[in-house]
Each structure stands twice: as structure tokens, then as C-alpha cells.
Amino acid sequence: MEEILRVGGGDVFPLLETGTGEAFPVGESLHLAKLRRAFGLFLAFLNQFSERRLGEVRPAMGLVLQHSLDTLGELAATAHREVLDQNLEPDWVIHLLDLIASLRTMATSLGSGEGSQLKEHWTAYLQEERDHIKSIFAVLAGMEEGPALVARLNQLMKTLNRALQSGSGNPLEPIRKMEALLGGALPESTRLRAEPLLLVQHVIASLRIMLFRPLDRGVHWPAVEHIRGSLQWLWNHLGWSLPRVEDRLLEKSLPGDVRALLKQLRENHPPSFRIVARALVSHLALLSLVEGMEPAVNASIPKRFASVPHFYVIESELGRLAERVFHPRAADNLPKGSEESLLLGAFLRQAVLSLLQDQATIRGLLLQTLTNDDVDQLAITLDNLRALLLSHQRQLMGDLVGLFSPELRHKLFPDSPSLTEEGDRLRRRLHRLWQYMDPALGQIRLHLELRSWPRLALALSQAQGQVASFRRSPEFLLIRSVDRQEFERLTLQFTRSLEDPAVIETSLEEASETVGEILRFLDQFLLRINARVPLIRLDLTTSREALRLGQALRLARGDAPDRSRLTHKLIQTTKPLGVRDPQALNLLKRWVRAERSGREVKTHLDALLSHLEHLSSRLDAALS
């Protein structure tokens, strides 16, 4: 385990530089771990953030920043309450901490020049917390030197009230003195536990006030850099860190079978071991970032916006992995021409393509979704991206493990799809959409020719529903960015034609033309993806198996007991070829009809087998 971390040590440096401050004095609880993780990821996002490149996404990114700070504040408050509950702090101490936090927020509001409504807020706070403040003062009065402290606090309270009532004087002075006196009255053990999280809440509350200014019509963008610097200072002061992968995660994620495989690689192929160890550690690090996110569909709107920075951090990490860990030059130190060199070189090239494609997918879809300002579409996009990243990371690691142990791959990644299976899933989804749109276009043109506007509107509405369903499906993310943008353009054009039309007949005609363009796009796209290597390999395997079954069926006697079983298997095996090779499906149907009628069975079977043999030869030549 130590050697794996040592080999991948150059890739598991913390996402953020850790400060020299003391670490948090209390053992990290669940909510504190969530706060540290969310804090670190948001700060990592700010370190690569530039408001100058936002463009049309500027309003949505303002909501992302605002809701991210709100979420950090909520997590800090929850972690603060958890720390107090774990140590059984009395009620008066909890109320005293709330009073100190309120005074700090008041000082921040006055210092930023936004204290015009402070009088009303302070009056309402005193009214709501009157009983709690009395209980605090009663406990403090019973302490040693308590009466003098309470008298001093009462005097400062009166001074503050007079300053707020009259609007003259400096209310900051009594606020700061009260905060210092109350802070000194806290028990030392409580102060050590609560002060770091109180500081986090205070800083985040101040930054929220600084970021969002309603009079400035939203976000005050020059304040973003100050927010980044303040959060970086706080991170360094607390001494927190956000490693890409932790020892306990690595130990938990590597079962005995994987350790045995790595040990064998280290002994027999040390250069290969270094490549596999680096890839494995980076995979677990990225997987921990993705798995830590909750589904966005059931989350509130603020939580959806607060999840966006995590995906931008992941997008940056994908580029780092493609450049440093999975770059094909990592195989340069392997023996030239060896089997391991060829296998790992091919794997690294495929891994880089997959990582860069996922990076472009995240960047493009987030930009488009945030520009459209659709919170429901944002939730669907985030969940689809999460599923895509999980699938592709497991697929990459499954392919890597499968190079050395196919049995171990099947054991560790039983549900991980291969590239062939993933491409076939996209092809089937596109083919279902094409099967609907092809006859639908004929009906639409007929209704348009007959000027049957109600029926035409209904047909177009149903077609729009099918297009939108494919747009929301996980398979949509598997399309390359260029093709995805073209499909998005056609979808947007289709939607605009049907929404709030000025002239209904003209809009329906334009929408009908767009349906034709969408169908032509599907035709061309299916033709291109059907020629891809994974699908060629799938069809080659299928055609060879069908040819073998057909030859066995031709040799079988008419009364053989297994002839019926061979016939059924040949039909089921050959049918999938009809998606990309209609001739195979036509010959299969002719043979089935001849089989049922009992006439010219051998002739039709020979024609089918001859076609399968030629098809296998063509596919084999295409792979070569």
C-alpha cells in the first residue's frame, strides 16, 4: 500500500495547498468532514474561476456563487451544532455562542456601510432572544467577578441601543467590546472547540454580504477575488487539507485480489506496475469526487446550483489526468515491441480520448444548461453527468484490469459496460428515435399537404416529446460535442417554432421542415456511428456465430431432434444484424417463410449463409 502511494505520490498532492496553522483539535465528525470537503472543492473552483470569461452564463454563475456560500454556511452551522451536542454543552453556552455570532455579523454589516435597517433587525433579535439573553446574564452573574461583568455588559447594551436609536455615535465600539467580553466569558474548552467553526460562519456570512448587493442588480463581481483570498486565508489558518485520495480510502477500495495482482506486476513487470498504480490511485481519487455527490433531481434549487463547482473541479481533474497520468508517453519506458507495451499503449491512448471527451462534455453541457436558466434541466444534466463519469471511470479501470486478468475484471466490475456495449446502447437509442421520426415525418407532410392544422399540431407535439425525451436520456451525453451541438441547435429551432407563434400556420410549416432536418441528421449520424470499430467488431462476432449455426443447420437432418433448437438460435442470432444490414434481415425473413411452407428451404438458407459469409469477410477487412 505504501509503495502504491509512493508511486502515485506525484499525482495525489492535495488539490489545495495546506496552511501551517494547527489542525482542528477535535476528531473529524461526519458533518465536519462534509464541511471540509465542500469548502475545499469550492475553493479549488475559485482558484480556477475567472469572471471575465463568463459571457452569457454570468447571471447563472452569480447564483452558483451565492448558493455555494449559503451551503457552506449551512454546513458550518450544522457542524457547529454537532460539535456542541457531542460534548454536551449546556444551553446557556449555545445561546452565548449565538449571541457572539450575531454581534460579529452586526459589526460586518456596519463596516460595509449597509446598516440602514440594522436598528429594526437588532430590535427584533432582542425581542426573540430576550429570555435567552436573560439566562446568559444570570449564569454570568453567578460566576466569580460575574456581577461586574454583567454590569459592564448592561452598560454597553444601553450605549449600543442609544447609538442605534439616535443614529449618531459609533455603534461599532460597543459591539466589539461586548463581543470581546462575552468571548472571554466562554469556558476555555468550549472556546477551543467552537471558535474555528464560529470563525468559519462569521467569514462566510461576511462574504455573502459582500458578494450579493441588490442595489447593484445582483452579484458584485469585483468582490469574487476578495472572497477567494479570504477563503484561502481561512483554509490556511485552520490547517485543513483536501487530498485527492486518502490512505483509508485506498485501503478500503483495494481488495485482496487487486493487491495480489499488483504484487505480481511489481515482481514480474516493474514498469507496468508503476503505470497501473498511478492510474489506479488517480481513478480512486476521481471516483471519490463523483460518488460523494448526491442526486440533484431530488435536491432543492440552491443545492443544485451549489453542486456546479464540484463538476468544474472534476472537469479540471480530467484534463490533469489526461496530461499527466494517462498520457501515452507513460508507456515509453516499457520494452519496445513487447506485449505489455502494446497493450498498455493502446489502453492509454483510449483512456486519454475518453477523458478528454468527458471533459468537453462537462464543459459544454454545463455552459449550455446554465445559459438556458432551466433548473429542472440543470438537475437532469448533473445526474446524467454523474452517471456518465461513474460509468466511464469503472469502464477504464475494468479495461485496465482486464489486460492482466479478465476473471478479476468480471469480479470487480461485473456491471461495467465495454466500449462496444456503450456504443451499441447509443445506437439502439438513436435507432428507436429514428424509427419513430421516419413514419412521423410522412404523416406530418400529409397533414401539411391537406392543411389539417389540428392533426399537424398534434403530430408535431408528439415528435417534440420524443426529441425532448432523447435529449434528457443518459445516452445523449455519449454523443461527441460537435454532433451534440448540432442536435441542440435543431432541437432549439424546433422548440422556438412551436412556442408562442405569431402566425400559427407559418410556425407549423417551419416546425415541419425542422423535423425533416432532424431526421436527416439522424440518418447521417447512424451511418457514421455504424461504421465505428466497436460496432464492426460486434457485427463481425454476430455474423460469424450466425454463419456457424446456419452451417450446422444445413448439415442437420430434417428429423434431427436438435434442428428446431438450431433454427430458433439462428433466428435470434441473425435478427440484430438487420439494424445495420437490412439485406441480412430480408434474407432471414425469406428463409423463415420457406421454412414454414416447406418449399425451397435449402435455396433460401444457402442465400442467407452466402450473405453472412460475405458480410463476415467485409467486416473482417474493415477491422484490418
Side-chain angles (χ1 to χ4, degrees):
M1 199 70 63
E2 294 178 357
E3 189 169 357
I4 293 174
L5 276 176
R6 180 179 59 79
V7 171
D11 308 307
V12 294
F13 289 138
L15 287 165
L16 301 167
E17 295 295 333
T18 306
T20 57
E22 295 182 359
F24 198 77
V26 183
E28 191 173 61
S29 61
L30 174 62
H31 291 95
L32 184 58
K34 289 183 177 179
L35 171 63
R36 177 178 62 86
R37 177 186 176 86
F39 193 129
L41 288 175
F42 182 59
L43 184 53
F45 163 73
L46 288 181
N47 285 337
Q48 63 190 24
F49 176 80
S50 175
E51 59 95 7
R52 297 178 181 178
R53 299 195 300 264
L54 291 180
E56 296 180 358
V57 81
R58 181 180 293 264
M61 194 57 70
L63 294 176
V64 168
L65 295 174
Q66 181 184 354
H67 290 310
S68 296
L69 286 175
D70 291 343
T71 301
L72 287 180
E74 294 174 3
L75 290 174
T78 304
H80 177 63
R81 289 192 296 268
E82 184 183 38
V83 169
L84 297 179
D85 292 342
Q86 285 179 346
N87 293 276
L88 303 177
E89 298 288 354
D91 291 340
W92 74 272
V93 172
I94 296 176
H95 297 318
L96 176 57
L97 290 169
D98 291 340
L99 180 57
I100 293 174
S102 300
L103 291 171
R104 285 179 175 175
T105 304
M106 284 180 62
T108 303
S109 301
L110 287 170
S112 62
E114 298 182 5
S116 58
Q117 298 180 345
L118 191 58
K119 173 186 171 182
E120 290 79 4
H121 292 318
W122 175 245
T123 303
Y125 176 76
L126 289 179
Q127 186 66 25
E128 294 174 0
E129 301 294 327
R130 178 176 54 189
D131 296 336
H132 294 156
I133 293 176
K134 287 182 178 179
S135 66
I136 293 172
F137 281 22
V139 174
L140 294 178
M143 296 181 178
E144 186 179 356
E145 301 180 358
L149 174 62
V150 172
R152 179 63 176 152
L153 287 172
N154 282 324
Q155 182 63 36
L156 290 172
M157 188 80 75
K158 293 177 182 178
T159 304
L160 175 60
N161 287 333
R162 281 197 302 269
L164 292 175
Q165 291 285 345
S166 62
S168 60
N170 183 15
L172 279 176
E173 183 177 353
I175 288 177
R176 289 168 179 167
K177 289 182 178 180
M178 286 179 62
E179 179 191 340
L181 290 174
L182 291 173
L186 275 173
E188 184 65 17
S189 59
T190 302
R191 189 187 67 78
L192 290 176
R193 284 191 293 266
E195 188 64 27
L197 290 176
L198 273 178
L199 179 62
V200 172
Q201 294 180 74
H202 166 63
V203 171
I204 291 176
S206 304
L207 297 179
R208 287 169 57 192
I209 296 173
M210 181 185 304
L211 174 68
F212 189 71
R213 296 183 176 179
L215 296 180
D216 293 339
R217 297 183 179 179
V219 171
H220 183 56
W221 290 105
V224 174
E225 182 60 26
H226 180 76
I227 290 173
R228 189 201 65 78
S230 299
L231 292 180
Q232 185 67 60
W233 171 86
L234 182 59
W235 182 267
N236 295 339
H237 175 76
L238 295 173
W240 287 353
S241 64
L242 185 65
R244 288 196 168 92
V245 64
E246 299 174 354
D247 295 356
R248 64 177 184 271
L249 174 64
L250 187 62
E251 185 174 357
K252 177 183 177 181
S253 303
L254 295 181
D257 295 338
V258 177
R259 298 183 192 180
L261 175 62
L262 292 173
K263 186 176 181 180
Q264 182 180 357
L265 275 179
R266 184 185 59 181
E267 295 174 354
N268 300 334
H269 307 283
S272 300
F273 168 76
R274 286 190 288 271
I275 295 176
V276 173
R278 290 183 66 189
L280 192 61
V281 171
S282 299
H283 156 72
L284 293 175
L286 188 59
L287 208 58
S288 67
L289 289 178
V290 180
E291 290 179 334
M293 293 182 294
E294 299 178 355
V297 171
N298 300 325
S300 62
I301 293 177
K303 295 290 185 183
R304 296 175 186 178
F305 280 104
S307 300
V308 171
H310 294 196
F311 282 93
Y312 276 109
V313 172
I314 292 172
E315 184 260 338
S316 177
E317 284 293 284
L318 289 172
R320 186 193 66 84
L321 294 182
E323 175 61 27
R324 294 184 53 183
V325 179
F326 291 94
H327 198 280
R329 63 170 172 264
D332 292 344
N333 296 328
L334 298 175
K336 300 296 183 182
S338 62
E339 182 179 2
E340 60 178 357
S341 175
L342 296 175
L343 291 176
L344 282 174
F347 166 77
L348 292 174
R349 287 191 294 273
Q350 182 59 52
V352 167
L353 291 175
S354 178
L355 293 171
L356 293 180
Q357 183 176 0
D358 288 348
Q359 185 185 30
T361 299
I362 293 176
R363 187 188 303 116
L365 285 183
L366 286 181
L367 178 63
Q368 177 187 354
T369 306
L370 293 175
T371 303
N372 293 339
D373 194 21
D374 186 342
V375 292
D376 294 331
Q377 187 61 46
L378 175 62
I380 294 173
T381 298
L382 294 180
D383 285 343
N384 284 344
L385 284 174
R386 180 177 181 271
L388 175 76
L389 291 168
L390 289 174
S391 175
H392 281 189
Q393 283 301 305
R394 290 167 180 161
Q395 175 183 296
L396 281 178
M397 288 304 102
D399 291 343
L400 179 59
V401 173
L403 295 179
F404 304 96
S405 175
E407 297 80 9
L408 185 57
R409 175 196 173 143
H410 182 71
K411 180 178 179 181
L412 295 177
F413 305 96
D415 300 325
S416 175
S418 64
L419 290 176
T420 301
E421 294 167 339
E422 191 174 71
D424 194 51
R425 181 160 56 93
L426 171 62
R427 178 192 55 77
R428 290 198 303 268
R429 188 66 178 80
L430 281 168
H431 189 69
R432 288 201 303 271
L433 179 61
W434 179 87
Q435 283 181 319
Y436 177 85
M437 298 293 287
D438 189 34
L441 179 60
Q443 295 179 0
I444 288 172
R445 288 174 174 171
L446 178 61
H447 297 326
L448 181 61
E449 183 179 354
L450 297 176
R451 299 297 179 180
S452 179
W453 302 118
R455 293 182 179 180
L456 177 59
L458 178 60
L460 289 173
S461 177
Q462 293 172 345
Q464 184 186 19
Q466 292 291 329
V467 172
S469 176
F470 172 69
R471 171 64 183 82
R472 293 190 298 267
S473 67
E475 289 80 11
F476 179 72
L477 275 66
L478 302 176
I479 303 177
R480 293 186 310 171
S481 59
V482 177
D483 297 318
R484 189 168 57 246
Q485 291 172 3
E486 175 63 15
F487 189 83
E488 286 286 358
R489 185 189 66 80
L490 293 174
T491 303
L492 183 60
Q493 179 180 330
F494 189 26
T495 304
R496 286 176 177 174
S497 300
L498 296 178
E499 290 184 352
D500 195 19
V503 180
I504 296 178
E505 291 82 357
T506 304
S507 299
L508 293 179
E509 291 176 356
E510 293 176 354
S512 302
E513 294 177 0
T514 306
V515 171
E517 293 182 23
I518 293 176
L519 186 60
R520 284 193 294 273
F521 170 83
L522 292 175
D523 285 334
Q524 296 174 2
F525 192 72
L526 281 170
L527 284 174
R528 281 192 288 113
I529 68 170
N530 286 342
R532 290 179 181 173
V533 171
L535 297 179
I536 293 175
R537 186 178 294 113
L538 175 65
D539 284 351
L540 175 61
T541 304
T542 305
S543 61
R544 285 176 174 174
E545 177 63 14
L547 180 61
R548 184 189 66 82
L549 292 171
Q551 291 172 346
L553 181 63
R554 185 168 55 182
L555 296 176
R557 298 172 54 186
D559 55 349
D562 60 343
R563 193 178 191 283
S564 177
R565 179 179 58 85
L566 287 173
T567 301
H568 180 72
K569 289 184 66 176
L570 177 59
I571 294 173
Q572 296 301 318
T573 303
T574 310
K575 279 172 62 177
L577 293 174
V579 175
R580 287 177 293 278
D581 186 36
Q583 183 64 16
L585 188 59
N586 292 334
L587 292 174
L588 177 66
K589 290 178 179 179
R590 292 176 186 174
W591 168 70
V592 170
R593 287 195 294 266
E595 185 78 15
R596 290 173 180 173
S597 63
R599 293 179 300 179
E600 300 181 355
V601 176
K602 187 176 182 301
T603 302
H604 290 292
L605 180 59
D606 288 341
L608 174 62
L609 295 183
S610 176
H611 178 76
L612 290 175
E613 185 175 2
H614 288 303
L615 177 62
S616 301
S617 302
R618 293 199 309 270
L619 294 173
D620 191 24
L623 283 179
S624 302

